[in-house]
Amino acid sequence: MGTNNCRLMVAVRSGDGFRVVDSFNRTVRLGEGLQSAGVLSDDAMARTMSALHVCAARLRQWPVRAICCVATEACRRAANGRAFLQRVRAETGLDIAIISPREEAELAMDSCGALLHANNHRRERGILFDIGGGSTEIAWLRLDRARRAQTLTGTTSIPWGVITMAERFAAPAADASDEEHAAYYEAMVRHVMTELDGFEAVHHIRREIGRSNVGMLGTSGTVTTLAGIALNLPRYNRHAIDGIVLTDAAALGAIDTLRAFRADGLATHPCVGSERNHYVLPGCAIFEAIHRLWPVEAVTVADRGLRDGLLFRMAREMETIGHVRSPSNVARRTPPSSKHGVYGANSAIWGA
């Protein structure tokens, strides 16, 4: 349960990995208005509760052995975040835990690490970033090429995601001048760069980039949208995007394409849509700030994130302890047939 989206993934063990058999994703904008009010609004909680009732109903259709539910920045920051989660548990049976920014980074690393190794054979360091609704997480990694493993050596979280940026910086009117639109965008980029300067001062990432020793990976709706624009896809296609490598020229060119649209044009774009049109440019500004500060020549795009990292973690735990006690709030039923993707514990690549 993020600041912008509520997501569910159900999987079964398959060989040394797992197979996804059901998934759900709904834009709920839980963090809408949080930047100014400091609390979750009634409308935002109602939208989110509706989505969570759907999740609970979907889970009752499966013979679930274990459930892990997490919440991120909106519930971390909101004064009524924990009270809302207590209400969620009472109404839906879902016991949702608030995770720390560092754990968010670790879960993203678990789900996306294999892609870093696949596309950065000669590099020993990596940057992983996740642009969320209420925050952006940055992970600085040490890559072990021989073992195809990675170690988290530093992480930071800034309280700026696509929703908080959109609320902090008012977009110009549709009929505003090009100069006004350019100033609005540049103000967002510089704001995020300032927020990240301290992390650079500690870890000297630019120095490693100068040695061509750093790979970069992004996981979020922003980077997958940029990939869809760069590929000129008629509609979003996860299988065409997950794992693709975008050059910096292609990524920045996609941003230029999106910036040429006004809000109405973005709402009708097949890779954006009306639910995300107000958040696309704030996300692009965060991406560009990261790129300006750390100008890596290409970025690997991952359409995977917290859910996938949680499933990898649960699969490892089940392998270690042999079994997991079933939660009492899930009904036992035979699962319907479904065909989704397959994750391998080693490759972490989707297959049809």
Side-chain angles (χ1 to χ4, degrees):
M1 189 173 70
T3 304
N4 197 36
N5 292 84
C6 178
R7 298 183 174 99
L8 167 74
M9 188 180 283
V10 182
V12 298
R13 290 297 301 270
S14 178
D16 61 351
F18 56 82
R19 178 167 57 91
V20 177
V21 294
D22 196 7
S23 62
F24 170 80
N25 185 0
R26 180 181 293 180
T27 300
V28 295
R29 304 189 310 281
L30 177 61
E32 188 174 67
L34 176 61
Q35 183 71 17
S36 58
V39 295
L40 304 175
S41 71
D42 290 341
D43 287 346
M45 288 189 289
R47 289 192 299 265
T48 305
M49 188 67 79
S50 175
L52 290 171
H53 276 293
V54 174
C55 291
R58 297 274 280 266
L59 286 172
R60 294 188 190 100
Q61 299 177 25
W62 297 94
V64 178
R65 298 178 64 191
I67 299 176
C68 185
C69 307
V70 300
T72 58
E73 183 69 7
C75 288
R76 281 197 296 260
R77 293 180 62 191
N80 59 343
R82 284 172 173 75
F84 176 58
L85 295 185
Q86 291 174 356
R87 178 184 155 201
V88 168
R89 183 175 184 179
E91 292 190 21
T92 70
L94 298 174
D95 189 4
I96 302 177
I98 300 174
I99 60 173
S100 68
R102 183 178 180 89
E103 188 167 5
E104 276 197 72
E106 290 172 343
L107 289 167
M109 181 181 72
D110 284 349
S111 65
C112 302
L115 294 180
L116 267 173
H117 291 283
N119 297 322
N120 296 283
H121 299 295
R122 296 180 300 277
R123 295 177 172 89
E124 297 176 343
R125 305 304 300 258
I127 302 171
L128 189 155
F129 64 89
D130 183 356
I131 303 171
S135 64
T136 295
E137 274 64 52
I138 308 287
W140 179 227
L141 310 174
R142 186 176 300 280
L143 306 180
D144 186 331
R145 292 175 294 173
R147 295 174 52 242
R148 291 180 64 84
Q150 55 280 333
T151 303
L152 183 63
T153 59
T155 183
T156 189
S157 176
I158 60 173
W160 301 104
V162 298
I163 290 181
T164 48
M165 287 287 284
E167 293 181 352
R168 169 65 175 79
F169 294 88
D175 59 353
S177 67
D178 290 342
E179 290 77 12
E180 289 174 296
H181 281 279
Y184 152 74
Y185 183 79
E186 186 65 21
M188 291 192 292
V189 173
R190 291 188 177 278
H191 178 77
V192 175
M193 290 182 70
T194 300
E195 291 282 319
L196 294 174
D197 278 341
F199 194 67
E200 164 60 24
V202 171
H203 295 285
H204 306 290
I205 297 170
R206 289 178 67 93
R207 183 177 63 194
E208 291 294 323
I209 292 173
R211 298 170 178 168
S212 299
N213 196 32
V214 179
M216 179 177 281
L217 184 144
T219 170
S220 68
T222 294
V223 290
T224 56
T225 296
L226 292 178
I229 299 294
L231 293 174
N232 198 28
L233 296 179
R235 64 183 61 84
Y236 186 78
N237 182 342
R238 183 195 188 281
H239 296 282
I241 287 174
D242 187 45
I244 193 174
V245 178
L246 282 185
T247 65
D248 54 356
L252 296 176
I255 289 176
D256 289 341
T257 297
L258 290 170
R259 288 184 61 189
F261 287 93
R262 296 296 187 253
D264 290 344
L266 289 171
T268 59
H269 195 287
C271 288
V272 180
S274 59
E275 290 186 332
R276 299 175 55 233
N277 61 315
H278 296 295
Y279 305 127
V280 169
L281 291 185
C284 289
I286 296 171
F287 175 91
E288 188 156 343
I290 293 169
H291 177 267
R292 286 192 197 175
L293 190 59
W294 300 308
V296 177
E297 61 189 12
V299 58
T300 298
V301 178
D303 187 349
R304 55 184 76 182
L306 288 185
R307 293 178 304 172
D308 315 87
L310 287 168
L311 282 173
F312 277 121
R313 180 178 293 181
M314 293 169 75
R316 286 197 301 267
E317 291 174 353
M318 291 175 72
E319 187 174 282
T320 300
I321 65 177
H323 68 280
V324 176
R325 183 172 56 85
S326 300
S328 59
N329 63 326
V330 178
R332 310 279 106 200
R333 294 187 186 175
T334 302
S337 61
S338 182
K339 186 177 182 182
H340 289 257
V342 176
Y343 279 87
N346 297 321
S347 64
I349 302 296
W350 274 69

